[in-house]
Amino acid sequence: MYPDPMSITRVASLGAGPIGGGWAAHFLARGYDVTAYIHAPEERFALMSVIETGWTSLTALGLAEGASLDRLRITSDLSDAVDGAGFIQESAPERLEIKQALYARLGEIVPPNVVIGSSTSGMTMTDIAATCPTPERCVIGHPFNPPYLLPLVEIIGGKQTDPAAVAWAAAFYEHAGKAPLVMKKEIPGFVATRLQEALWREALHMVANGEATPEDIDIALKNGPAPRMVVQGQCMAFHVACGAGGMATNLDQFGPALKWPWTRLEAPELTQKLRDRMVEGCNAMAGDRHFEDMAAERDRKIVAVLKALRDA
Amino acid sequence: MYPDPMSITRVASLGAGPIGGGWAAHFLARGYDVTAYIHAPEERFALMSVIETGWTSLTALGLAEGASLDRLRITSDLSDAVDGAGFIQESAPERLEIKQALYARLGEIVPPNVVIGSSTSGMTMTDIAATCPTPERCVIGHPFNPPYLLPLVEIIGGKQTDPAAVAWAAAFYEHAGKAPLVMKKEIPGFVATRLQEALWREALHMVANGEATPEDIDIALKNGPAPRMVVQGQCMAFHVACGAGGMATNLDQFGPALKWPWTRLEAPELTQKLRDRMVEGCNAMAGDRHFEDMAAERDRKIVAVLKALRDA
């Protein structure tokens, strides 16, 4: 029913803000024709400002063959914006009534085999598409700011979404140079924002208690967890740091630390099931690689990151 | 009373594990003479393995003039190890009775104007130096793993520590190429580990609830928050992302989000005092820089990190 994700040549990006503009810049850099929809003609300047800012970075990262700002068309006519587009990325304001009205209309004017992805960070597609006549092809496609630089896109459908549309969106985003993450459940904040929010709330606690200043928080993050986290996520960081024993050793040894007051966040019970999921998940990621090779790869990449930061 | 931190030429690193060995490698790479203390002669092989692993990365990052593995001496005689050292980095096993016995002895054999830093991640110097005859020069100097690569060192004294020893340690670590963070209060987990632990517990909740796999967690972190966090800590990331309004706009606009179930962690009350601390802290970090310049610098550095990762 849906076309081959690799056959798409035109994307419509709806929204003139940093997210809509960031998406437009990204798709242009990957060699797509892009139609950008702005709500009012006077938003053109703001949109172009975001796209041009993003373009500097995207050019430095390397443009796809044929990529050009000349392949951008801007319109404030919604029907015109979606005409001929093989994918719609919606980045309208984060107000449910605005999104619902937009999806009610999109559901009528966009051919039913065209997938629509929403950049929302706080709503579910179940709610957004509540009054959309064709909710089955509507998915969340949530980027991380700035969307022209950070690869993550979190994807999930609503209760009425066709699983094939979710799979299509993941394949399309990946082909378009993103790192798609198909979520298992509709949860508030999705995965990345939840992790970031946990960290953020602990940071606020520390500032509130006079235990750290905002500068302390940032020094700690930039010089401690972050250079490793960009190379290894927290699961693989612990898995590899524990040597041959991996995540199993980590949980068996540091499991009791989950009861320690090392954050204001309450940890879950470390059940056998949770332990198994963590261990099996890390073993699957490691595959055949020996921990020493993974540690060496980690170090090599951290060195590259530190050198890049020093030279930038 | 304490010597000029820049005059130190020899460091004693106590401990043969990944932390002790990592510190030895770091100090060697910065051009120090290093005496490494190992508890038993047969630990020599393990220690050398860690140092040689670290040396590969340190060489790639660039060694200080005169830095050489030939300037390492290994001994299992504690008095011999500390003899002539201008700073002691202690990385003994994380058991209080072991640390206390060690500090009782170090307190006698190390001249009182030599600062001793402990790598402990979980104990306070108040406890560690409880039976040390010279606790005033004993501080926590907690690295982040791997200590030969990650710059952060969290520093704090115990109740009996001389503030001058804390200041000395910060100056010494900075001169030795580290990013020192002098903490305001003795809190469990210090700053960086608390932030990481909050994130980690939220990750475990998501895995326990079937909302994400360990691989999902790692994909989300590596492609979302991490490439930005290595460039901007979370405070400045939000400050700059909110444009001219900065952190004040962030808190006023997203303050209500602190009540949303975006993590299992309970946020603190967003009082006027907390708001002021956050805003003033971010303004101080920003200084005279315009947010657009900071955003451009962020983008330039993220590009460098992404390119470095791609090429590594």
Side-chain angles (χ1 to χ4, degrees), chain A residues 57-172:
Chain A
S57 296
L58 290 159
T59 304
L61 279 174
L63 303 175
E65 202 181 317
S68 168
L69 284 178
D70 294 342
R71 294 172 66 184
L72 171 68
R73 200 164 63 77
I74 303 177
T75 177
S76 51
D77 176 333
L78 189 62
S79 296
D80 182 30
V82 302
D83 186 43
F87 177 69
I88 317 283
Q89 181 74 41
E90 171 273 309
S91 312
E94 287 281 82
R95 285 170 50 196
L96 186 58
E97 68 276 17
I98 292 179
K99 300 258 195 207
Q100 284 182 336
L102 181 59
Y103 279 74
R105 176 117 190 268
L106 290 173
E108 288 172 359
I109 63 178
V110 178
N113 66 339
V114 172
V115 172
I116 304 174
S118 174
S119 302
T120 185
S121 59
M123 299 172 215
T124 65
M125 189 45 77
T126 301
D127 289 337
I128 291 173
T131 56
C132 176
T134 48
E136 65 283 352
R137 47 55 181 282
C138 297
V139 304
I140 305 285
H142 173 242
F144 222 73
N145 193 46
Y148 50 86
L149 278 182
L150 296 177
L152 185 66
V153 182
E154 295 176 300
I155 304 167
I156 190 164
K159 294 206 192 331
Q160 295 183 274
T161 305
D162 176 5
V166 172
W168 189 94
F172 172 73

Side-chain angles (χ1 to χ4, degrees), chain A residues 162-187:
Chain A
D162 176 5
V166 172
W168 189 94
F172 172 73
Y173 281 125
E174 179 145 35
H175 180 67
K178 288 292 186 185
L181 172 57
V182 176
M183 286 181 290
K184 311 289 182 277
K185 294 184 181 176
E186 273 188 322
I187 47 169

